[in-house]
CSV table of all heavy atoms in Angstrom, one decimal:
chain,number,residue,atom,x,y,z
A,550,GLU,N,39.5,-28.7,29.0
A,550,GLU,CA,38.4,-29.7,29.1
A,550,GLU,C,37.0,-29.1,28.9
A,550,GLU,O,36.1,-29.8,29.0
A,550,GLU,CB,38.5,-30.4,30.4
A,550,GLU,CG,39.9,-31.0,30.7
A,550,GLU,CD,40.0,-31.5,32.1
A,550,GLU,OE1,39.0,-31.6,32.8
A,550,GLU,OE2,41.2,-31.6,32.5
A,551,ASP,N,37.0,-27.8,28.7
A,551,ASP,CA,35.7,-27.2,28.7
A,551,ASP,C,35.4,-26.8,27.2
A,551,ASP,O,36.0,-25.9,26.7
A,551,ASP,CB,35.7,-26.0,29.6
A,551,ASP,CG,34.3,-25.4,29.7
A,551,ASP,OD1,33.4,-25.6,28.8
A,551,ASP,OD2,34.0,-24.8,30.7
A,552,SER,N,34.4,-27.4,26.6
A,552,SER,CA,34.2,-27.2,25.2
A,552,SER,C,33.8,-25.7,25.0
A,552,SER,O,33.9,-25.2,23.9
A,552,SER,CB,33.1,-28.1,24.6
A,552,SER,OG,31.9,-27.8,25.3
A,553,CYS,N,33.2,-25.1,26.0
A,553,CYS,CA,32.8,-23.7,25.9
A,553,CYS,C,34.0,-22.8,25.6
A,553,CYS,O,33.9,-21.9,24.8
A,553,CYS,CB,32.2,-23.3,27.2
A,553,CYS,SG,32.0,-21.6,27.5
A,554,LEU,N,35.2,-23.2,26.1
A,554,LEU,CA,36.4,-22.4,25.9
A,554,LEU,C,37.3,-23.0,24.8
A,554,LEU,O,38.4,-22.4,24.6
A,554,LEU,CB,37.1,-22.2,27.2
A,554,LEU,CG,36.3,-21.6,28.3
A,554,LEU,CD1,37.2,-21.4,29.6
A,554,LEU,CD2,35.8,-20.2,27.9
A,555,GLU,N,36.9,-24.1,24.2
A,555,GLU,CA,37.8,-24.8,23.3
A,555,GLU,C,38.1,-23.9,22.1
A,555,GLU,O,37.3,-23.2,21.6
A,555,GLU,CB,37.0,-26.0,22.8
A,555,GLU,CG,38.0,-27.1,22.3
A,555,GLU,CD,37.1,-28.3,21.8
A,555,GLU,OE1,36.0,-28.5,22.4
A,555,GLU,OE2,37.6,-29.0,20.9
A,556,GLY,N,39.4,-23.9,21.8
A,556,GLY,CA,39.8,-23.2,20.6
A,556,GLY,C,39.9,-21.7,20.7
A,556,GLY,O,40.2,-21.0,19.8
A,557,ILE,N,39.8,-21.2,21.9
A,557,ILE,CA,39.9,-19.8,22.1
A,557,ILE,C,41.3,-19.5,22.4
A,557,ILE,O,41.9,-19.9,23.5
A,557,ILE,CB,39.0,-19.3,23.3
A,557,ILE,CG1,37.5,-19.6,22.9
A,557,ILE,CG2,39.2,-17.8,23.5
A,557,ILE,CD1,36.5,-19.1,24.0
A,558,ASP,N,41.9,-18.8,21.5
A,558,ASP,CA,43.3,-18.4,21.7
A,558,ASP,C,43.5,-17.4,22.9
A,558,ASP,O,42.7,-16.4,23.0
A,558,ASP,CB,43.7,-17.7,20.4
A,558,ASP,CG,45.2,-17.4,20.4
A,558,ASP,OD1,45.9,-18.0,21.2
A,558,ASP,OD2,45.6,-16.5,19.6
A,559,GLY,N,44.3,-17.8,23.8
A,559,GLY,CA,44.5,-16.9,24.9
A,559,GLY,C,43.6,-17.2,26.1
A,559,GLY,O,43.7,-16.5,27.2
A,560,ALA,N,42.8,-18.2,26.0
A,560,ALA,CA,41.9,-18.5,27.1
A,560,ALA,C,42.7,-19.1,28.3
A,560,ALA,O,42.4,-18.8,29.4
A,560,ALA,CB,40.8,-19.5,26.7
A,561,ALA,N,43.6,-20.0,27.9
A,561,ALA,CA,44.5,-20.5,29.0
A,561,ALA,C,45.5,-19.5,29.4
A,561,ALA,O,46.1,-18.9,28.6
A,561,ALA,CB,45.2,-21.8,28.4
A,562,THR,N,45.6,-19.3,30.7
A,562,THR,CA,46.5,-18.3,31.2
A,562,THR,C,47.6,-19.0,32.0
A,562,THR,O,47.4,-20.2,32.5
A,562,THR,CB,45.8,-17.3,32.0
A,562,THR,OG1,45.1,-17.9,33.0
A,562,THR,CG2,44.9,-16.4,31.2
A,563,THR,N,48.6,-18.4,32.2
A,563,THR,CA,49.7,-19.0,33.0
A,563,THR,C,49.4,-18.8,34.4
A,563,THR,O,49.0,-17.8,34.9
A,563,THR,CB,51.0,-18.2,32.6
A,563,THR,OG1,51.2,-18.3,31.2
A,563,THR,CG2,52.2,-18.9,33.3
A,564,MET,N,49.6,-19.9,35.1
A,564,MET,CA,49.3,-19.9,36.6
A,564,MET,C,50.5,-19.2,37.4
A,564,MET,O,51.6,-19.4,37.0
A,564,MET,CB,49.2,-21.3,37.1
A,564,MET,CG,48.0,-22.0,36.5
A,564,MET,SD,46.5,-21.6,37.5
A,564,MET,CE,46.7,-22.8,38.7
A,565,PRO,N,50.1,-18.5,38.4
A,565,PRO,CA,51.2,-18.0,39.3
A,565,PRO,C,51.8,-19.1,40.1
A,565,PRO,O,51.2,-20.2,40.1
A,565,PRO,CB,50.4,-17.0,40.2
A,565,PRO,CG,49.0,-17.5,40.1
A,565,PRO,CD,48.8,-18.2,38.8
A,566,PRO,N,52.9,-18.9,40.6
A,566,PRO,CA,53.5,-20.0,41.4
A,566,PRO,C,52.7,-20.4,42.6
A,566,PRO,O,52.0,-19.6,43.2
A,566,PRO,CB,54.9,-19.4,41.9
A,566,PRO,CG,54.7,-17.9,41.8
A,566,PRO,CD,53.7,-17.7,40.7
A,567,ALA,N,52.6,-21.7,42.8
A,567,ALA,CA,52.0,-22.3,44.0
A,567,ALA,C,52.7,-21.7,45.2
A,567,ALA,O,53.9,-21.5,45.2
A,567,ALA,CB,52.0,-23.8,44.0
A,568,PRO,N,52.0,-21.5,46.3
A,568,PRO,CA,50.6,-21.8,46.5
A,568,PRO,C,49.7,-20.6,46.3
A,568,PRO,O,48.6,-20.5,46.9
A,568,PRO,CB,50.6,-22.2,48.0
A,568,PRO,CG,51.7,-21.3,48.6
A,568,PRO,CD,52.7,-21.1,47.5
A,569,LEU,N,50.1,-19.6,45.5
A,569,LEU,CA,49.2,-18.5,45.3
A,569,LEU,C,47.9,-18.9,44.6
A,569,LEU,O,47.9,-19.9,43.8
A,569,LEU,CB,49.9,-17.4,44.4
A,569,LEU,CG,51.2,-16.8,44.9
A,569,LEU,CD1,51.7,-15.7,43.9
A,569,LEU,CD2,50.9,-16.2,46.3
A,570,LEU,N,46.9,-18.2,44.9
A,570,LEU,CA,45.6,-18.5,44.2
A,570,LEU,C,45.8,-18.3,42.7
A,570,LEU,O,46.5,-17.4,42.3
A,570,LEU,CB,44.5,-17.6,44.7
A,570,LEU,CG,43.9,-17.9,46.1
A,570,LEU,CD1,42.8,-16.9,46.4
A,570,LEU,CD2,43.3,-19.3,46.1
A,571,PRO,N,45.1,-19.1,41.9
A,571,PRO,CA,45.2,-18.9,40.5
A,571,PRO,C,44.9,-17.5,40.0
A,571,PRO,O,45.4,-17.1,38.9
A,571,PRO,CB,44.2,-20.0,39.9
A,571,PRO,CG,44.2,-21.0,41.0
A,571,PRO,CD,44.3,-20.3,42.3
A,572,ASN,N,44.0,-16.9,40.6
A,572,ASN,CA,43.7,-15.5,40.2
A,572,ASN,C,44.5,-14.4,41.0
A,572,ASN,O,44.1,-13.3,41.0
A,572,ASN,CB,42.2,-15.2,40.2
A,572,ASN,CG,41.7,-15.2,41.7
A,572,ASN,OD1,42.4,-15.4,42.6
A,572,ASN,ND2,40.4,-15.0,41.8
A,573,LEU,N,45.5,-14.9,41.7
A,573,LEU,CA,46.3,-14.0,42.5
A,573,LEU,C,45.6,-13.3,43.7
A,573,LEU,O,46.0,-12.3,44.2
A,573,LEU,CB,47.0,-12.9,41.6
A,573,LEU,CG,48.2,-13.4,40.8
A,573,LEU,CD1,48.6,-12.4,39.7
A,573,LEU,CD2,49.4,-13.7,41.7
A,574,GLY,N,44.5,-13.9,44.0
A,574,GLY,CA,43.8,-13.5,45.2
A,574,GLY,C,43.7,-12.0,45.4
A,574,GLY,O,43.1,-11.3,44.5
A,575,LYS,N,44.2,-11.5,46.5
A,575,LYS,CA,44.0,-10.1,46.8
A,575,LYS,C,44.5,-9.2,45.7
A,575,LYS,O,44.0,-8.1,45.5
A,575,LYS,CB,44.8,-9.8,48.1
A,575,LYS,CG,43.8,-9.6,49.3
A,575,LYS,CD,44.5,-8.9,50.4
A,575,LYS,CE,43.7,-7.7,50.9
A,575,LYS,NZ,44.3,-7.0,52.0
A,576,ALA,N,45.5,-9.7,44.9
A,576,ALA,CA,46.0,-8.8,43.9
A,576,ALA,C,45.0,-8.5,42.8
A,576,ALA,O,45.2,-7.6,42.0
A,576,ALA,CB,47.3,-9.4,43.3
A,577,SER,N,44.0,-9.4,42.7
A,577,SER,CA,43.0,-9.1,41.6
A,577,SER,C,41.6,-8.7,42.3
A,577,SER,O,40.6,-8.8,41.6
A,577,SER,CB,42.8,-10.3,40.7
A,577,SER,OG,42.4,-11.4,41.4
A,578,ALA,N,41.7,-8.2,43.5
A,578,ALA,CA,40.4,-7.9,44.2
A,578,ALA,C,39.6,-6.8,43.4
A,578,ALA,O,38.4,-6.8,43.4
A,578,ALA,CB,40.7,-7.4,45.6
Side-chain angles (χ1 to χ4, degrees):
E550 302 167 20
D551 189 336
S552 63
C553 168
L554 301 181
E555 203 179 332
I557 300 180
D558 186 19
T562 53
T563 306
M564 294 275 277
L569 297 184
L570 284 181
N572 67 2
L573 283 168
K575 254 196 130 179
S577 62

